[in-house]
Amino acid sequence: MRAQENVGSADVLAGRERYVARGIATPALVVARAEGARIWDVEGREYLDFAGGIGCVNLGHRYPTVVEAIHAQVDRYLHQCFMVGNYEPYVQLCERLAGLSPCKGSEQKSILLNSGAEAIENAVKIARAATGRGAVVVFERGFHGRTLLTLSMTEKTTYKAGFGPFAPEVYRVPAPYPYRGVSSNDAIAALERLFKAEVDPRSVACAVLEPVQGEGGFIPMPPEYPGRLQDLLDAHGILFVADEVQSGVGRTGRMWAVEHYGLEPDLLVAGKSLGGGLPLASVTGRAELMDAPSPGGLGGTFGGNPVACAAALATLDALEEVLPDMPALGHRIRGRLELIAPSGSDVRGLGPMLAIELAEQTPDRASAIVTAARERGLVLLTCGLYGNVIRLHVPLTISDDDLEAGLQLLEDAIAH
Ligand code: PLP
């Protein structure tokens, strides 16, 4: 490969083919620069970005106050390891997360990690330590990460093939999916049956739910379901873990998607956009749960890196300013999707976390639309068990003109 300033897409793609493991699937896009709602490839071609690195830059690329905070922290120190010495950005961010926490209890604490999967693993560890129980309940189409425990909790053979045996004591039940005929009643009945038939609820530590399923197809839980689930879990002393790695940090127009449901989970897991583009994730909950593991029981070399914490503090500040405009943004995108969605498909989501599920349960048409969009200058992603859902991670800071241009490109790609 040539030096970066002379490089062309073909060089990078050839290098990728030769040196990078094929298990990571990537389209042919080669990024040179990104700003706000835009990406430029190495040939200088401009794209609108409705993927946001899979939901990791909810404010758009290189949000100015986030970049400033990163620069300021880079000039102080890069890495300490919180197991070697305390540092202020880590403590400040945990204080901030406590203030923003929707979880039960007055005194909130957090731990910071590197990735969503690592944070989910830690949430399960904390739930097990706090309850003295081992089993974990998860939901159909859930995605919680690619480490052994989280992959065991995740559903889709594309991610799982060849990687077993998986972790024991993970039980999966249906989640509501109105478009495909699964109601809240069905989902609650399935959980009640699980507790009768397969696992004693007294041995279940936690249930882990995405309030809006992300990789599984951008499926918001019906309004009444999370509350009903919580009542059932509470009755058995089972902790409710909200996986807000994809739905959190403003994606649904509130800081946390559970706020739309008036729900108070026991633990909340955040990731992706929390670090404003840097790797960072968190687990937050009431002190008595968070302090269940003994000193030394939790940790990690890089978790809560100071630069990522500084970026997160700036991200949360900026989001609080942006969030009041989000109902209007969500409304506008939804209205347009309803006009352009192919007949029989489902337009759904919560706030600006929106998607179109195509009626046919094969990936072909959705991936053709995503490819056609990219050829026209719009970066998009699919999701869903069958890969037939087109999801939008529109930057929450997008201008009206850019939004209109992006949605027009999507319309053209669908028409094509
Ligand atoms: N949980 C949810 C809901 C996710 O969407 C993801 C990633 O897409 C994860 C967990 C895992 O996060 P990471 O890829 O940072 O490990």
Side-chain angles (χ1 to χ4, degrees):
M1 246 171 74
R2 287 176 281 151
Q4 185 141 27
E5 58 271 22
N6 302 320
V7 91
S9 293
D11 301 283
V12 179
L13 293 175
R16 189 257 188 266
E17 183 74 16
R18 166 63 185 81
Y19 297 111
V20 182
R22 67 179 188 143
I24 311 171
T26 5
L29 176 66
V30 182
V31 177
R33 192 160 69 83
E35 192 83 44
R38 288 190 164 67
I39 288 175
W40 289 266
D41 71 11
V42 289
E43 273 81 33
R45 180 140 192 246
E46 187 176 297
Y47 299 83
L48 284 165
D49 181 14
F50 284 7
I54 318 192
C56 293
V57 284
N58 283 350
L59 288 167
H61 293 279
R62 299 186 76 251
Y63 193 76
T65 54
V66 174
V67 172
E68 261 169 47
I70 290 171
H71 281 301
Q73 183 55 44
V74 163
D75 288 339
R76 287 187 205 113
Y77 49 86
L78 298 180
H79 172 69
Q80 285 299 317
C81 182
F82 206 69
M83 298 182 299
V84 173
N86 289 276
Y87 48 87
E88 208 185 349
Y90 192 115
V91 179
Q92 276 182 330
L93 181 56
C94 291
E95 182 179 352
R96 198 66 206 282
L97 289 168
L100 292 169
S101 176
C103 294
K104 277 185 200 148
S106 52
E107 206 184 310
Q108 300 286 309
K109 290 190 168 188
S110 295
I111 178 171
L112 305 178
L113 299 310
N114 298 291
S115 68
E118 195 189 356
I120 293 288
E121 293 249 4
N122 275 273
V124 172
K125 283 165 67 178
I126 292 164
R128 284 177 168 168
T131 59
R133 304 169 171 193
V136 177
V137 170
V138 293
F139 297 85
E140 287 179 1
R141 298 173 307 280
F143 185 96
H144 302 290
R146 294 171 181 268
T147 59
L148 178 73
L149 176 59
T150 59
L151 192 54
S152 310
M153 296 163 64
T154 287
E155 195 182 61
K156 187 162 173 174
T157 42
T158 313
Y159 309 131
K160 301 180 84 143
F163 300 138
F166 296 105
E169 291 302 303
V170 174
Y171 298 89
R172 191 180 313 282
V173 286
Y177 191 6
Y179 180 55
R180 301 284 176 192
V182 184
S183 67
S184 296
N185 283 344
D186 299 333
I188 293 288
L191 185 56
E192 281 168 341
R193 187 182 186 284
L194 178 84
F195 291 156
K196 276 272 172 252
E198 253 199 284
V199 60
D200 180 351
R202 288 169 301 183
S203 66
V204 179
C206 61
V208 184
L209 177 77
E210 297 162 80
V212 182
Q213 293 189 313
E215 298 307 306
F218 270 39
I219 305 169
M221 294 299 104
E224 73 289 350
Y225 176 72
R228 288 180 66 188
L229 174 64
Q230 183 159 46
D231 290 344
L232 185 52
L233 298 177
D234 283 350
H236 295 293
I238 298 168
L239 300 180
F240 190 136
V241 179
D243 180 345
E244 293 247 18
V245 171
Q246 191 151 172
S247 61
V249 196
R251 177 42 55 197
T252 67
R254 303 264 182 97
M255 192 60 84
W256 312 115
V258 290
E259 294 172 29
H260 292 274
Y261 297 92
L263 189 76
E264 296 187 330
D266 294 292
L267 296 172
L268 181 135
V269 179
K272 289 196 182 277
S273 278
L274 181 64
L278 296 186
L280 187 67
S282 60
V283 184
T284 300
R286 60 185 177 277
E288 73 203 70
L289 300 180
M290 294 300 296
D291 284 339
S294 312
L298 303 177
T301 304
F302 274 111
N305 169 269
V307 184
C309 289
L313 286 162
T315 298
L316 295 174
D317 283 346
L319 271 173
E320 285 193 309
E321 282 174 31
V322 166
L323 289 183
D325 300 331
M326 291 306 101
L329 179 68
H331 198 70
R332 188 157 169 215
I333 303 171
R334 185 188 282 268
R336 187 66 184 276
L337 294 185
E338 277 165 359
L339 290 176
I340 65 179
S343 74
S345 57
D346 190 30
V347 172
R348 60 167 179 250
L350 196 54
M353 182 171 183
L354 288 161
I356 302 173
E357 174 166 355
L358 304 178
E360 59 271 27
Q361 290 185 307
T362 64
D364 309 347
R365 187 159 180 215
S367 71
I369 290 170
V370 165
T371 303
R374 194 173 62 250
E375 286 164 3
R376 288 163 173 73
L378 175 68
V379 179
L380 281 178
L381 294 168
T382 58
C383 62
L385 190 58
Y386 299 97
N388 61 334
V389 181
I390 298 160
R391 61 171 146 174
L392 306 188
H393 278 287
V394 173
L396 303 179
T397 52
I398 196 164
S399 69
D400 289 352
D401 288 351
D402 284 350
L403 179 61
E404 173 50 36
L407 291 172
Q408 187 57 53
L409 291 172
L410 175 59
E411 182 174 347
D412 296 346
I414 291 173
H416 166 86

